[in-house]
Amino acid sequence: MKKNKRFNRRDFIQSSIRASLVVSVGGIGGLALKNSTGRDWVWQIDPFECNQCGRCATECVRNPSAVKCVHAYDICGYCDLCGGYFIPGAVKLDTGAENQLCPTAALIRKFIEEPYFEYEIDEDLCIGCAKCVKGCTSFGNGSLHLQIRHDLCRNCNECSIARVCPSKAIKRVPSDTPYMIKGSFTKTTDT
Amino acid sequence: MKKSVIYIFLSLIVIIILIIVIGDFRSTRPDRMSGNPYKLNLDRIKSVDPNLVTYQETKNYRINARQAGGIAVAGEKIYLAADTFLQVFDYAGRQILKITLPEPAGCLEVSKQGDIIVGHRNAVALYSAAGEMKWRSEPLDERAVITALALKDGTIFAADAGNRAVHLYTAEGKYVDSFEGKTSIEGNHGFIVPSPYFDLGVNPDGELWVVNPGKLALENYTDEGNLRSYLENISPEIDGFSGCCNPAHIAIMADGSFLTSEKGVVRIKIYEPSGELSTVVALPDKFMEDGEAPDVAVDEEGIVYALDYDRNMIRIFEPK
């Protein structure tokens, strides 16, 4: 009759170390695989939820904010009297500073053909205050809207704007679809 | 020894309370934050002398539909296009008729004989008072978005926001002609329609009035499409129109006055036939902020029927 070999303390420690090594290597490998194939998440503003409160300009850790106004040209009316460009009751429909809504003159008005005008955003000047977005949403088609620019965003673990956003419009989105541009991005409705 | 422990304990409690109070005071929770320096304040535009408002809401009916289209009032009946249905109600809100349409309708108009003309996206159809379809016009091109209808004698006028044109049909649904509101006058570029709000109506004198929304004007055309006159008052104040495209909807009253509904700062007003503001029916506080402009209809007695798209309701406003 064969006698069982006794499983002593040394064997136990050796087996434990081997098992730990296997688990560690496996874990690190798994994490690396997950990071290389898994989805990353970034912060973005749902333009249909945004209520143009102006906090994006003041609460972002970047100064000026990583939030910028973007323009969905396909839904713009190319209006002469643009609610996003002019203050309500503007004296004259021209580029005079006294008539402009944007506090930094980041919205540029360009003549296309009578009576249509194109509006372009100078992102270096835009502070993401949403004043033009409010004007466009209130009086126009809502083609001006805010987006977090990912070349500027630090993708903080806890977005300081999301923390105070009153309409909870800032959410995590997959990094392979990092923008929610009006026109191409359409709000999904619950059916 | 005992006393000193109590003092230390009380001091700790005071410090903790102070930390909580100061922390709360300095908190940046949305409801604790300081005023927004970038707020676009529209309160001044929205606030109006209450004496100007001579109407009050007396009734409203909830609509059992997902997407309301348009409203019309004729012969003491309310006509509603919603989803793929055409419904007729009496003034008490009882349903008289319900027809299933082949596709959703965005607008409708009722003839003196009780025939119902329905505007689909790119076609017009006529239904008898009993709900039987008599004809349907040939479809317009892909760009067409019919947003309003009007009737005059044997002619049907259809406002097409997609093509920025008014189409003319015979009473039998045959396409006759179109016009784009262009004239040889310098600076008159025809209809400017930045969004799908493009309304028209025929007044009791048989004059065709078309909204030129991009110009914030009401324009009077001959049946052939020649501009005869226009009313325009561009202003964010109560007596004018502002924004990209207003008035979004109109209806013409028995005395020729214009009932207007605006988007942006949503409000309903009545203008004299000569263009002066006559009265205010409903101010923005009656509607959802940044809501859609309600379609409007008016009966012989001047009672206003507003189709509130945001609340899915027919809202009735009567003179005070």
Side-chain angles (χ1 to χ4, degrees), chain B residues 195-301:
Chain B
S195 61
Y197 296 95
F198 186 33
D199 209 342
L200 46 72
V202 172
N203 75 4
D205 295 329
E207 296 171 337
L208 174 67
W209 285 87
V210 185
V211 177
N212 194 341
K215 292 187 79 178
L216 306 165
L218 286 158
E219 296 178 340
N220 173 214
Y221 286 89
T222 64
D223 295 355
E224 295 75 37
N226 297 316
L227 181 67
R228 199 150 44 191
S229 64
Y230 64 92
L231 303 172
E232 182 184 292
N233 183 4
I234 301 171
S235 163
E237 304 301 327
I238 189 68
D239 61 343
F241 298 115
S242 189
C244 76
C245 21
N246 269 316
H249 299 282
I250 61 162
I252 298 180
M253 303 179 76
D255 65 352
S257 297
F258 300 99
L259 173 68
T260 65
S261 162
E262 286 167 70
K263 70 190 275 264
V265 177
V266 183
R267 55 195 183 188
I268 302 174
K269 301 181 290 190
I270 294 173
Y271 285 84
E272 301 281 352
S274 51
E276 292 93 15
L277 178 71
S278 165
T279 189
V280 177
V281 176
L283 287 173
D285 59 1
K286 286 276 175 196
F287 303 98
M288 277 174 65
E289 193 176 350
D290 296 331
E292 212 174 322
D295 190 10
V296 283
V298 61
D299 69 12
E300 291 288 317
E301 290 170 13

Side-chain angles (χ1 to χ4, degrees), chain A residues 26-165:
Chain A
I28 291 165
L31 276 174
L33 192 69
K34 189 186 169 224
N35 282 344
S36 61
T37 57
R39 290 175 117 186
D40 284 333
W41 296 82
V42 291
W43 294 103
Q44 193 48 270
I45 300 169
D46 182 341
F48 295 99
E49 300 287 327
C50 173
N51 68 353
Q52 306 99 35
C53 70
R55 302 292 180 207
C56 290
T58 55
E59 301 305 316
C60 183
V61 293
R62 299 295 307 264
N63 188 16
S65 173
V67 175
K68 303 288 175 191
C69 179
V70 297
H71 197 185
Y73 288 101
D74 53 346
I75 54 173
C76 177
Y78 292 84
C79 306
D80 184 8
L81 174 52
C82 172
Y85 185 84
F86 291 109
I87 56 167
V91 179
K92 210 173 171 191
L93 300 186
D94 63 17
T95 55
E98 71 278 14
N99 299 321
Q100 291 187 41
L101 196 57
C102 180
T104 60
L107 203 56
I108 298 154
R109 174 177 153 103
K110 285 182 184 169
F111 174 73
I112 302 295
E113 63 171 23
E114 276 296 341
Y116 300 106
F117 291 81
E118 186 179 270
Y119 297 89
E120 203 175 272
I121 296 134
D122 184 339
E123 287 200 359
D124 291 336
L125 294 177
C126 179
I127 56 169
C129 71
K131 221 170 171 179
C132 62
V133 181
K134 177 77 178 167
C136 182
T137 308
S138 296
F139 296 109
N141 290 350
S143 56
L144 293 170
H145 57 288
L146 292 181
Q147 288 287 279
I148 295 171
R149 297 308 303 245
H150 296 297
D151 53 335
L152 303 171
C153 176
R154 286 187 177 149
N155 202 22
C156 303
N157 195 34
E158 187 189 18
C159 173
S160 60
I161 315 170
R163 199 166 56 85
V164 296
C165 178

Side-chain angles (χ1 to χ4, degrees), chain B:
Chain B
M1 180 67 187
K2 240 182 175 179
K3 262 190 173 176
S4 63
V5 170
I6 291 168
Y7 288 146
I8 291 167
F9 180 71
L10 286 174
S11 307
L12 272 172
I13 286 178
V14 168
I15 289 166
I16 289 166
I17 290 169
L18 276 174
I19 289 169
I20 290 169
V21 169
I22 292 167
D24 187 57
F25 185 73
R26 292 174 61 86
S27 160
T28 53
R29 289 199 317 259
D31 59 335
R32 297 275 318 164
M33 294 176 80
S34 56
N36 172 15
Y38 299 110
K39 190 181 176 188
L40 173 59
N41 197 341
L42 300 174
D43 293 347
R44 195 187 61 79
I45 297 169
K46 289 179 181 176
S47 65
V48 171
D49 178 4
N51 294 324
L52 277 171
V53 185
T54 59
Y55 273 71
Q56 63 184 353
E57 188 172 4
T58 52
K59 272 183 271 182
N60 55 52
Y61 305 122
R62 187 161 288 283
I63 303 163
N64 187 19
R66 289 181 63 185
Q67 182 60 55
I71 191 170
V73 172
E76 300 193 354
K77 288 177 194 149
I78 303 167
Y79 296 78
L80 172 74
D83 294 339
T84 52
F85 297 107
L86 169 64
Q87 290 168 283
V88 184
F89 303 94
D90 63 16
Y91 280 172
R94 285 184 292 263
Q95 184 177 288
I96 300 167
L97 183 71
K98 187 176 185 181
I99 312 165
T100 302
L101 302 170
E103 59 179 301
C107 53
L108 71 169
E109 185 63 71
V110 183
S111 74
K112 282 174 187 161
Q113 295 76 34
D115 290 334
I116 309 157
I117 301 131
V118 171
H120 298 293
R121 192 181 65 81
N122 64 354
V124 177
L126 186 132
Y127 291 81
S128 71
E132 185 193 344
M133 190 169 88
K134 289 186 174 175
W135 54 256
R136 184 187 160 95
S137 69
E138 288 293 315
L140 296 162
D141 64 14
E142 279 300 303
R143 284 169 55 99
V145 181
I146 293 176
T147 51
L149 296 164
L151 284 169
K152 182 190 170 184
D153 304 329
T155 306
I156 298 166
F157 299 96
D160 176 357
N163 288 307
R164 301 168 189 165
V166 174
H167 307 300
L168 279 68
Y169 293 90
T170 65
E172 290 75 39
K174 194 181 165 208
Y175 173 81
V176 179
D177 199 4
S178 298
F179 65 90
E180 297 176 350
K182 289 179 179 168
T183 70
S184 55
I185 302 165
E186 199 185 340
N188 193 325
H189 309 280
F191 300 124
I192 301 163
V193 189
S195 61
Y197 296 95
F198 186 33
D199 209 342
L200 46 72
V202 172
N203 75 4
D205 295 329
E207 296 171 337
L208 174 67
W209 285 87
V210 185
V211 177
N212 194 341
K215 292 187 79 178
L216 306 165
L218 286 158
E219 296 178 340
N220 173 214
Y221 286 89
T222 64
D223 295 355
E224 295 75 37
N226 297 316
L227 181 67
R228 199 150 44 191
S229 64
Y230 64 92
L231 303 172
E232 182 184 292
N233 183 4
I234 301 171
S235 163
E237 304 301 327
I238 189 68
D239 61 343
F241 298 115
S242 189
C244 76
C245 21
N246 269 316
H249 299 282
I250 61 162
I252 298 180
M253 303 179 76
D255 65 352
S257 297
F258 300 99
L259 173 68
T260 65
S261 162
E262 286 167 70
K263 70 190 275 264
V265 177
V266 183
R267 55 195 183 188
I268 302 174
K269 301 181 290 190
I270 294 173
Y271 285 84
E272 301 281 352
S274 51
E276 292 93 15
L277 178 71
S278 165
T279 189
V280 177
V281 176
L283 287 173
D285 59 1
K286 286 276 175 196
F287 303 98
M288 277 174 65
E289 193 176 350
D290 296 331
E292 212 174 322
D295 190 10
V296 283
V298 61
D299 69 12
E300 291 288 317
E301 290 170 13
I303 297 170
V304 173
Y305 300 78
L307 180 57
D308 189 326
Y309 296 99
D310 300 303
R311 293 186 177 149
N312 238 13
M313 275 180 176
I314 296 171
R315 301 175 67 180
I316 298 164
F317 295 87
E318 293 183 41
K320 282 179 184 169

